[in-house]
Amino acid sequence: MTGRLRNMTATYLLKGENILLLYRQGGRVVNEVWTGSAGGHFEQCELNDAKACVLRELNEELGLCESDIRNLSLRYVALRRAKGEIRQNYYFFADLREDAKEDLTSNEGVLRWFPLDEIGGLPMPYTARYVMERYRAVY
């Protein structure tokens, strides 16, 4: 293990009982699995501000700004050692506002709304699967 850290965020957008997931394609770290609707690596200036990273990623990947969502909340932080590095993931959840567009597109892969009770069998990264199982059990 090199001791390198990889800090990342993921945002899960909700609309009623549905959750927006991204089938990530072409990613360096995460590829061909379902993940949060937007997320990515911290920029140098964001290392102490996970919320700033999440808001930037929402805008870059989905074209959403903070006024398009409500109840943005950091729910989980996961640490995992993988491929010689320590991965620290900040998992945020937010509600898409009723007046925001819901036919979103992403330059990172394919977006799809799922009923929360239908996501259990989808291929997901290890910590994302655990987070989603926990979220469904608690909320």
Side-chain angles (χ1 to χ4, degrees), residues 30 46 53 59-60 64 71 82-83 98 128:
V30 177
E46 298 165 338
C53 181
N59 186 262
E60 287 178 3
L64 295 174
N71 302 324
K83 299 182 181 176
E98 292 76 20

Side-chain angles (χ1 to χ4, degrees), residues 15-28:
K15 190 153 185 140
E17 295 297 314
N18 294 318
I19 189 164
L20 183 65
L21 298 178
L22 170 70
Y23 188 75
R24 192 167 290 272
Q25 298 171 315
R28 293 185 331 257

Side-chain angles (χ1 to χ4, degrees), residues 29-58:
V29 177
V30 177
N31 193 33
E32 297 185 359
V33 290
W34 291 95
T35 66
S37 41
H41 299 88
F42 282 54
E43 298 290 335
Q44 188 70 29
C45 63
E46 298 165 338
L47 288 179
N48 292 314
D49 193 349
K51 182 180 176 184
C53 181
V54 145
L55 291 174
R56 178 183 53 77
E57 292 286 355
L58 278 169

Side-chain angles (χ1 to χ4, degrees), residues 118-129:
E118 291 182 12
I119 62 172
L122 297 174
M124 293 181 180
Y126 179 80
T127 57
R129 171 166 305 289

Side-chain angles (χ1 to χ4, degrees), residues 8-136:
M8 299 174 283
T9 60
T11 309
Y12 291 90
L13 291 178
L14 301 156
K15 190 153 185 140
E17 295 297 314
N18 294 318
I19 189 164
L20 183 65
L21 298 178
L22 170 70
Y23 188 75
R24 192 167 290 272
Q25 298 171 315
R28 293 185 331 257
V29 177
V30 177
N31 193 33
E32 297 185 359
V33 290
W34 291 95
T35 66
S37 41
H41 299 88
F42 282 54
E43 298 290 335
Q44 188 70 29
C45 63
E46 298 165 338
L47 288 179
N48 292 314
D49 193 349
K51 182 180 176 184
C53 181
V54 145
L55 291 174
R56 178 183 53 77
E57 292 286 355
L58 278 169
N59 186 262
E60 287 178 3
E61 294 180 12
L62 302 179
L64 295 174
C65 56
E66 192 169 7
S67 63
D68 293 317
I69 59 174
R70 60 184 173 80
N71 302 324
L72 179 64
S73 175
L74 174 61
R75 299 268 186 204
Y76 305 97
V77 178
L79 290 171
R80 181 175 184 219
R81 190 174 60 193
K83 299 182 181 176
E85 61 189 11
I86 299 169
R87 296 182 180 176
Q88 187 164 305
N89 291 283
Y90 296 81
Y91 291 96
F92 285 81
F93 287 74
D95 297 310
L96 188 64
R97 288 193 175 274
E98 292 76 20
D99 57 345
K101 63 179 182 173
E102 64 180 81
D103 59 333
L104 300 165
T105 59
S106 173
N107 58 357
E108 302 282 331
V110 177
L111 289 168
R112 182 173 158 204
W113 289 98
F114 287 93
L116 273 168
D117 60 355
E118 291 182 12
I119 62 172
L122 297 174
M124 293 181 180
Y126 179 80
T127 57
R129 171 166 305 289
Y130 182 81
V131 162
M132 291 312 307
E133 287 172 0
R134 182 74 181 147
Y135 181 82
R136 288 176 49 218

